[in-house]
Amino acid sequence: MTDTMGGLLSIAVLVGLLALVYVPLGDHMARVFMSVKHTRVEHGIYRLTGVNPDAEQSPKSYALSVVGFSLVSIAVLMAILLGQAHLPYSRDMDGMPFWTSFNTAVSFVTNTNWQSYAGESTLGFTAQMAGLAVQNFLSAAVGIAIAIAMIRGFVRSRSGSLGNFWVDLVRGTFRILLPLAFLGAVLLMAGGVIQTFTDSTMTTLAGHSQVLTGGPVASQEAIKELGNNGGGFFNANSAHPFENPNAYTNYLEIFLILVLPVSLTRTLGTMLGNRRQGLALLGAMGVLWSVSLALTTWAEAGAHSAAGQAAGAAMEGKETRFGEWASALFAVATTGTSTGAVNASHDSLTPVGGGTVLVNMMLGEIAPGGVGAGIYGILIMAILAVFICGLMVGRTPEFLGKKISARQMTYVALYTLTTPALALLGTGVAISRDSTADAMGNSGGHGFSETLYAYTSAANNNGSAFGGITVTSDFFQITLGLAMLLGRLLPIVLVLMLAGSVAEQGKVPVTAGTLPTHTPLFVGMLVGIILIMTGLTYFPALALGPIAEALA
Amino acid sequence: MTTTTTTPGMSLGVLAAQGVQQIPQAVRKLDPRLMWRSPVMFLVWLGSIATTIAAVGDPSTFSVALAIWLWLTVIFGNLAEAVAEGRGKAQAASLRAARSDTVARLLDESGAEREVPGTALRVGDHVVVEAGQIIPGDGDVIDGIASVYESAITGESAPVIREAGGDRSAVTGGTRVLSDRIVVRITAEAGSTFLDKMIALVEGTSRRKTPNEIALSILLTSLTLVFLFAVATLAPMAAHAGAPQDLVVLIALLVCLIPTTIGALLSAIGIAGMDRLVRVNVLAMSGRAVEAAGDVSTLLLDKTGTITYGNRQATRFAPAPGVSETRLRDVARLSSLADQTPEGRSIVDLALELGADDRDLPSRAEFVEFTAQTRMSGVDLSDGTQIRKGAGSAVAQWVGSTPSADVLEIIESISRSGGTPLVIAEKDSDGTGAVLGVVQLKDVVKAGMTERFAELRAMGIRTVMITGDNALTARAIADEAGVDDFLAEATPEDKMAYIRKEQEGGRLVAMTGDGTNDAPALAAADVGVAMNSGTAAAKEAGNMVDLDSDPTKLIDIVEIGKQLLITRGALTTFSIANDVAKYFAIIPAMFVAAYPALDSLNVMGLATPQSAILSAVIFNALIIVGLIPLALRGVRFRAASATSILRRNIYVFGLGGIIVPFVGIKLIDLLVSTIPGIG
């Protein structure tokens, strides 16, 4: 079988597997959040924390809970990272430097998992498991909770509440993420991912002895992909043989990355009682994902560059056990979601491939997007599309039966403004500093891409690194940390306020004069608006980086 | 729909003349306090100043040309608004002429009369107006009847009758009494009369941003901010790339990217929408009402005068068994020749249509008029034959026998179908009578209404017929007209309840009304159109007034509302889509020196970096002028489903918006590149 046949076949099987779990998993998640019953464990947690699980929260109260929870989580995680020397299983590691711990704590709490440290040489097992892995679960559960709250805003009519954040958080963690992550970890272990509590020492061929860092990798790997976190146990992330030993685990990891964002569109359709709407949003995500995958694969597998042609393939920075196809697929999956795990060096991707994964993040990670974040991200874009195009049918725009007027547009406008502002301002400030030139791994257009990629990844809570650039200085730790924090919390607050404002409204009945939002025409329009808005925002920056490189 | 698609005075020639005339006004609008109202254009204004300063400091053909065209961009935007306002001002001037100082003849309680200036009148004052005098203020006629010439307000040259009591008692200040004498109770203070409101409206002085305009402005402002970030951060990025950019170039890029087209035309579109309504003789009290009209999903229409012609007409002759249709036709015609009621005349017309002879009534025939006692009318011929027509029971009594089962069946079926059966009978000279058959009288649905309702349905608008008829008749007419629902034996309370029910379901309701008892429903409806002939209470309650008092116009109003929103959406889409080409013009121009490979993005093959940037700026300015006619006229609207309207507009304004600037910028570049120092 040729590479092309094999590559296409594996993509087809991946899509088939996702289709297989789409309905049962999507509907399961809908049931989780629509059910009024609590399990015994949940009851225990609510009693312990003093939460009244049957009380509804206003949008403001919901948002304050999210923000408060996130800030407390950052503080706790920082404490663990700073003081890990005093914790058991710390592998004799020192505490992290202050700003590195700030950056790392923000990074894991915001579901970004940007890593400005090397896991194996910085962190002990306790910090990894009780610190980072816990946030891998919670930050993903927060994302799902926000998406569910937003869906409730459209489901509810003349309502002042969006549900209960604590209940949503607990249910997302215990009923969705934990069981699936457990299953994923077992499957990964079966595939050869390690799960130990010791490092091992082995004798090399030359007779020297070498310490091989071990650890509870499989358990962390599963939630890293499933929760779209992306923070690797090892610095090499999913390119490391202990995290991702073979083609089978690679495939499983890609599946885990995509399964929740894809299935959540079903959850949306089921909760709205409008399954076609869920499919339409998935359709838009699918179109963007396919185009991005086709471009990246074409660029990576095609060996278009001079170096690539000389070598017969663009294999620089890729693992031979995965090859170009699986590396391209992984890169598109990890940047189309908010994962940020990598199984190849994105810095070494061809200009077109690297540019495409960069654009994936600039799109706002909606193809298919982060866990939960993909849903609310694409809903925001859908509202924008409805507003611009809805006027063209001669009515005050409405989406899912809710009018989109000044108040809603304010939230949507601020949401769409946030990440470009953070990414562009961060890049602009960083690039104008003399010290940045030294931090870059390359000069010229490629060096610029490294900086642009870093801030885009942080502001969009992706966490993947182009690599090349050294981001350990306080300047980068602080600015990237702020970009992650603001890039996470501002959109969430805006989304909740938006959800609250539409929950207050009654429902406008559907007539022939209503712009239908589940048709191929609308999907095309949505994709068009997403591409044009992103293109207009980032084209000048892209022109100076990947485009200039690609055309050269 | 002719009313919405063609607007008088909108030919390009006329518009061009108005444009030239308004240039001084457009320049006056450069006042920053006025510019501030549109953040997008304010930013261009700031950019123009900065560019001018830069051009003065370091003059070159390029920087001077840029400064000039940036100023022109601002002025063109102001021009759009000035032209739109100018059209209203002309109208306001003619209205003001009607308001010229009047002298009022004030009646005091004793009935004595004294002259006071019209402006001194208070609400509740009684004034006398006689033939030839101008009515000094808005009010209700409380005594007398007069013909009033209202052309100053309505443009209608035929005088109308205004009388005390009833629903035709309202008079408007500034109109002239042509005959007779009336006493008017003033209902509005000077300064807040209908005429004053109208002047303020058409002048646009009372114009406030509508909810949808605000939402759109928020979007435009956020787009502007995004581009501001993109361009501001481009400066350090460009410096890093070894291609530092001049301030004027960055400003040029920013102006090209921010949505200037829609930003410049937004207020003109709103003013023009109101203006279009004024041109079909409808006054909207607020722009909000016009927008609501586009959102309406339920129309309440009065049956009489709106859906039907309002009087019953003969539509069929149904002969009794053994009687030929020809005979029934001729006898029915004979009985009605002297009958001057609309029903009688319609019988004669129908008989003629069906081939009856156009003969006069035989001599010495005697017309028997309808009375409440006999409930019949007819003729007695000289030979002793008597013909009668009337309600079934009355005619049966006259004939002296109950009609046959067949005739009863005919009567029944006509009633069921919403018609009125008129039985025709004849008595010989010897007194033996026989029922010849039945004439079917029916309320006739106006021509074209069925098609209109089908169009509305395609647009997703439900039509509801309001009538005082019983349910049986109402259903028949509703079916024939093709309305979606009807409200039979409707009382004002019923209407109100119906409106509430619809609104609770999230629907927006529009209705027309003229009577005082319509006022609560008019106020409750999202779009309440009061007839100008109606009472002051009705006009006060509604948010629009139809000067022609034509309830059918409700449909035009909905279309104008939709057209307003479509125009806004279309130009927004066009404006955003335009940016794609501008990037392809400007970005390679900026960076081709640093990255020669970027020249392959110069797909238009523009001559030099300077000519490329200048061409994009010029296109950006000219497109505003080019779109003024569209902004003022509105995008052509046709009744269709949302999906098909959307598809069409996406192709025209979305795809068109991407393609047009590529062509336009290239053409401009061909000219600009011939200028020394640029090309």
Side-chain angles (χ1 to χ4, degrees):
Chain A
M1 197 157 55
T2 63
D3 275 4
T4 313
M5 277 301 293
L8 289 176
L9 194 66
S10 66
I11 293 168
V13 172
L14 175 68
V15 171
L17 285 174
L18 289 170
L20 213 61
V21 299
Y22 181 67
V23 171
L25 181 56
D27 285 352
H28 166 69
M29 288 192 282
R31 273 195 305 275
V32 164
F33 293 105
M34 292 199 290
S35 152
V36 288
K37 291 199 193 105
H38 311 290
T39 65
R40 197 167 299 167
V41 177
E42 289 166 0
H43 264 306
I45 296 173
Y46 299 140
R47 213 165 305 137
L48 225 63
T49 50
V51 168
N52 173 5
D54 299 312
E56 290 268 327
Q57 284 181 301
S58 69
K60 200 174 156 194
S61 157
Y62 202 107
L64 281 175
S65 302
V66 178
V67 174
F69 179 71
S70 301
L71 295 181
V72 169
S73 295
I74 291 171
V76 170
L77 187 51
M78 271 182 82
I80 292 176
L81 297 174
L82 288 168
Q84 68 160 335
H86 310 291
L87 296 171
Y89 288 106
S90 65
R91 293 168 62 226
D92 301 325
M93 297 289 178
D94 291 332
M96 259 190 184
F98 184 81
W99 286 118
T100 312
S101 80
F102 164 76
N103 184 290
T104 306
V106 167
S107 167
F108 278 76
V109 169
T110 57
N111 197 247
T112 313
N113 296 32
W114 171 265
Q115 293 169 294
S116 54
Y117 60 90
E120 58 269 51
S121 58
T122 316
L123 293 175
F125 295 154
T126 309
Q128 290 268 21
M129 291 184 75
L132 303 186
V134 165
Q135 282 308 323
N136 279 354
F137 280 97
L138 295 180
S139 66
V142 168
I144 297 178
I146 308 303
I148 297 297
M150 185 174 195
I151 296 169
R152 287 197 191 113
F154 284 97
V155 172
R156 294 183 176 185
S157 185
R158 301 187 198 289
S159 163
S161 60
L162 293 174
N164 184 315
F165 168 67
W166 307 108
V167 172
D168 292 340
L169 180 72
V170 168
R171 287 189 183 179
T173 310
F174 283 89
R175 299 197 201 177
I176 297 170
L177 295 170
L178 268 173
L180 288 179
F182 181 79
L183 198 65
V186 171
L187 289 174
L188 283 170
M189 276 191 276
V193 178
I194 63 165
Q195 181 80 2
T196 68
F197 278 94
T198 48
D199 298 337
S200 45
T201 311
M202 61 173 284
T203 313
T204 62
L205 284 176
H208 304 289
S209 76
Q210 183 183 357
V211 177
L212 292 182
T213 311
V217 179
S219 58
Q220 205 146 323
E221 195 68 13
I223 188 62
K224 169 188 125 184
E225 315 296 9
L226 183 70
N228 280 193
N229 294 290
F233 195 93
F234 300 103
N235 193 31
N237 210 304
S238 284
H240 194 289
F242 286 178
E243 282 198 26
N244 189 6
N246 51 46
Y248 157 76
T249 54
N250 191 54
Y251 206 66
L252 180 58
E253 287 183 14
I254 295 174
F255 176 81
L256 287 175
I257 286 174
L258 296 173
V259 69
L260 285 183
V262 166
S263 303
L264 273 168
T265 60
R266 169 75 181 187
T267 310
L268 170 129
T270 301
M271 287 181 74
L272 286 174
N274 182 354
R275 299 244 160 86
R276 287 196 295 177
Q277 189 61 61
L279 282 177
L281 294 182
L282 181 62
M285 293 169 166
V287 169
L288 291 168
W289 189 76
S290 307
V291 171
S292 161
L293 179 61
L295 257 179
T296 311
T297 308
W298 170 83
E300 298 309 314
H304 302 284
S305 62
Q309 270 156 5
M315 278 303 288
E316 184 199 301
K318 295 189 182 70
E319 295 292 308
T320 47
R321 64 184 189 280
F322 305 134
E324 306 105 328
W325 279 77
S327 299
L329 183 59
F330 199 105
V332 171
T334 197
T335 51
T337 61
S338 73
T339 312
V342 290
N343 76 347
S345 165
H346 287 192
D347 200 13
S348 300
L349 294 177
T350 60
V352 173
T356 308
V357 297
L358 178 56
V359 169
N360 261 348
M361 296 188 289
M362 289 170 169
L363 293 174
E365 286 161 13
I366 39 168
V371 174
I375 289 286
Y376 60 75
I378 199 144
L379 281 174
I380 292 277
M381 292 314 288
I383 294 172
L384 192 61
V386 157
F387 185 80
I388 296 175
C389 301
L391 280 178
M392 285 200 290
V393 305
R395 273 165 74 116
T396 301
E398 60 203 48
F399 182 57
L400 302 174
K402 305 288 190 167
K403 292 215 176 235
I404 307 304
S405 39
R407 193 158 152 223
Q408 288 74 35
M409 276 316 289
T410 308
Y411 298 132
V412 170
L414 289 173
Y415 181 104
T416 52
L417 210 56
T418 305
T419 28
L422 292 172
L424 288 172
L425 290 180
T427 310
V429 171
I431 205 80
S432 55
R433 286 165 55 94
D434 293 336
S435 57
T436 304
D438 305 329
M440 289 176 187
N442 293 275
S443 60
H446 199 75
F448 173 72
S449 295
E450 289 167 356
T451 315
L452 180 64
Y453 195 104
Y455 283 93
T456 306
S457 175
N460 283 289
N461 295 150
N462 183 275
S464 71
F466 212 41
I469 188 167
T470 310
V471 288
T472 46
S473 72
D474 285 353
F475 170 80
F476 280 113
Q477 299 287 27
I478 294 170
T479 54
L480 288 170
L482 286 176
M484 290 188 276
L485 190 62
L486 297 175
R488 171 79 165 182
L489 293 182
L490 287 181
I492 283 181
V493 170
L494 291 167
V495 160
L496 290 172
M497 292 297 122
L498 173 68
S501 79
V502 293
E504 277 173 23
Q505 296 181 15
K507 281 215 163 199
V508 183
V510 174
T511 68
T514 310
L515 170 73
T517 54
H518 54 71
T519 57
L521 178 67
F522 182 77
V523 170
M525 218 167 71
L526 178 55
V527 170
I529 291 278
I530 291 170
L531 287 177
I532 287 199
M533 294 299 289
T534 310
L536 294 182
T537 310
Y538 291 106
F539 188 79
L542 286 171
L544 292 176
I547 296 179
E549 258 192 282
L551 293 174
Chain B
M1 260 181 311
T2 48
T3 40
T4 60
T5 48
T6 62
T7 317
M10 275 287 183
S11 77
L12 283 180
V14 172
L15 271 179
Q18 286 171 345
V20 171
Q21 208 182 337
Q22 293 293 346
I23 288 174
Q25 181 62 18
V27 174
R28 268 196 292 279
K29 279 174 179 279
L30 289 175
D31 183 336
R33 285 164 302 178
L34 297 175
M35 292 303 307
W36 174 242
R37 293 188 47 178
S38 164
V40 180
M41 295 313 286
F42 184 66
L43 194 59
V44 183
W45 181 86
L46 288 176
S48 309
I49 291 177
T51 312
T52 308
I53 294 169
V56 168
D58 178 19
S60 68
T61 317
F62 177 64
S63 60
V64 170
L66 265 186
I68 291 174
W69 278 98
L70 290 183
W71 281 116
L72 284 176
T73 309
V74 186
I75 291 173
F76 289 161
N78 291 346
L79 190 62
E81 193 180 69
V83 170
E85 285 172 350
R87 298 163 71 76
K89 283 210 178 94
Q91 213 155 1
S94 72
L95 286 172
R96 271 214 187 82
R99 205 184 48 176
S100 60
D101 299 334
T102 49
V103 175
R105 294 161 60 189
L106 183 68
L107 279 182
D108 62 24
E109 269 140 43
S110 63
E113 214 178 273
R114 74 196 152 86
E115 295 204 338
V116 297
T119 48
L121 290 176
R122 295 280 166 271
V123 173
D125 283 352
H126 292 186
V127 295
V128 180
V129 193
E130 275 184 307
Q133 295 176 336
I134 303 273
I135 298 174
D138 293 1
D140 283 324
V141 179
I142 51 167
D143 188 29
I145 176 168
S147 58
V148 180
Y149 188 62
E150 295 194 330
S151 114
I153 309 260
T154 64
E156 172 61 56
S157 56
V160 292
I161 301 296
R162 292 284 177 257
E163 59 186 321
D167 287 344
R168 291 197 301 171
S169 61
V171 289
T172 312
T175 57
R176 190 148 45 94
V177 172
L178 285 185
S179 67
D180 306 289
R181 171 186 189 272
I182 45 175
V183 177
V184 174
R185 191 186 58 234
I186 297 297
T187 55
E189 303 268 339
S192 62
T193 64
F194 188 64
L195 201 58
D196 294 313
K197 278 189 206 159
M198 211 168 142
I199 291 168
L201 274 171
V202 295
E203 267 192 330
T205 46
S206 63
R207 219 181 83 79
R208 261 190 258 139
K209 278 192 176 172
T210 60
N212 177 261
E213 255 179 312
I214 294 172
L216 186 53
S217 302
I218 290 169
L219 173 69
L220 298 181
T221 307
S222 81
L223 279 175
T224 305
L225 281 174
V226 167
F227 291 130
L228 195 57
F229 288 139
V231 174
T233 54
L234 189 57
M237 295 179 193
H240 171 260
Q245 296 296 318
D246 285 342
L247 181 67
V248 287
V249 171
L250 290 171
I251 290 173
L253 175 65
L254 179 64
V255 169
C256 284
L257 293 180
I258 61 176
T260 47
T261 314
I262 179 68
L265 296 174
L266 190 58
S267 71
I269 294 170
I271 298 170
M274 297 285 273
D275 190 50
R276 271 199 296 284
L277 269 184
V278 170
R279 275 161 204 275
V280 297
N281 267 346
V282 173
L283 281 186
M285 294 307 161
S286 68
R288 185 189 273 264
V290 187
E291 255 168 32
D295 287 348
V296 160
S297 46
T298 304
L299 281 188
L300 301 191
L301 299 167
D302 280 326
K303 184 199 79 172
T304 309
T306 310
I307 297 174
T308 65
Y309 286 108
N311 41 26
R312 293 174 305 173
Q313 296 180 357
T315 55
R316 188 164 70 98
F317 295 116
V323 181
S324 73
E325 197 183 329
T326 329
R327 177 157 151 70
L328 175 63
R329 178 195 76 194
D330 291 341
V331 173
R333 173 178 170 273
L334 210 55
S335 73
S336 307
L337 273 176
D339 185 352
Q340 287 308 311
T341 63
E343 287 90 347
R345 263 178 286 160
S346 79
I347 292 176
V348 177
D349 290 343
L350 181 68
L352 279 178
E353 215 175 285
L354 292 175
D357 290 331
D358 191 11
R359 275 179 313 191
D360 262 341
L361 205 59
S363 55
R364 286 187 289 121
E366 215 170 284
F367 179 60
V368 180
E369 268 197 69
F370 178 88
T371 70
Q373 282 75 41
T374 61
R375 293 192 292 141
M376 293 185 299
S377 66
V379 283
D380 293 343
L381 299 180
S382 55
D383 63 357
T385 310
Q386 294 177 301
I387 305 171
R388 293 290 182 274
K389 62 175 196 282
S393 56
V395 174
Q397 206 183 359
W398 180 72
V399 173
S401 63
T402 44
S404 68
D406 292 304
V407 171
L408 285 176
E409 168 62 34
I410 296 172
I411 291 174
E412 177 65 13
S413 82
I414 291 176
S415 301
R416 247 198 327 269
S417 71
T420 308
L422 203 58
V423 178
I424 308 280
E426 195 183 43
K427 250 186 208 174
D428 292 346
S429 47
D430 58 9
T432 47
V435 171
L436 298 180
V438 187
V439 179
Q440 172 175 294
L441 294 180
K442 228 177 163 177
D443 217 353
V444 177
V445 172
K446 282 185 178 176
M449 290 311 283
T450 314
E451 293 74 27
R452 213 86 199 264
F453 294 141
E455 281 175 12
L456 287 170
R457 195 166 307 115
M459 286 153 59
I461 297 173
R462 268 160 50 83
T463 43
V464 180
M465 181 181 87
I466 308 290
T467 173
D469 292 345
N470 62 48
L472 199 68
T473 313
R475 175 176 304 282
I477 295 182
D479 285 346
E480 193 186 334
V483 294
D484 296 297
D485 195 6
F486 64 89
L487 198 57
E489 291 169 41
T491 61
E493 291 75 35
D494 291 341
K495 273 197 219 182
M496 195 69 183
Y498 198 97
I499 293 174
R500 290 267 180 256
K501 191 188 81 188
E502 292 288 295
Q503 286 175 334
E504 261 157 39
R507 290 169 162 273
L508 263 61
V509 182
M511 68 167 288
T512 58
D514 53 5
T516 300
N517 57 13
D518 284 331
L522 279 172
D526 301 282
V527 177
V529 184
M531 300 293 105
N532 191 41
S533 59
T535 59
K539 284 201 245 178
E540 200 60 44
N543 47 17
M544 290 193 197
V545 175
D546 178 17
L547 301 174
D548 297 338
S549 306
D550 169 12
T552 320
K553 223 182 267 167
L554 198 48
I555 300 173
D556 297 328
I557 294 172
V558 168
E559 289 181 354
I560 289 174
K562 285 194 174 296
Q563 199 187 17
L564 174 70
L565 292 176
I566 290 176
T567 308
R568 251 183 230 151
L571 291 182
T572 304
T573 307
F574 189 83
S575 194
I576 296 173
N578 268 205
D579 282 359
V580 175
K582 293 173 193 163
Y583 265 138
F584 278 95
I586 298 181
I587 293 294
M590 288 170 88
F591 298 116
V592 73
Y595 296 111
L598 285 179
D599 193 44
S600 49
L601 289 182
N602 182 8
V603 289
M604 287 170 272
L606 305 178
T608 64
Q610 273 102 342
S611 79
I613 293 167
L614 191 56
S615 300
V617 170
I618 294 175
F619 175 85
N620 193 52
L622 290 181
I623 197 73
I624 295 174
V625 180
L627 288 173
I628 290 178
L630 185 70
L632 296 186
R633 268 184 214 152
V635 171
R636 212 166 66 88
F637 176 78
R638 64 196 172 91
S641 72
T643 310
S644 70
I645 295 179
L646 178 66
R647 182 168 292 128
R648 178 177 178 275
N649 287 336
I650 283 189
Y651 283 131
V652 174
F653 297 98
L655 283 184
I658 292 179
I659 295 165
V660 166
F662 277 102
V663 179
I665 292 173
K666 174 67 186 171
L667 290 177
I668 294 169
D669 180 72
L670 289 177
L671 285 176
V672 167
S673 58
T674 60
I675 301 171
I678 302 280

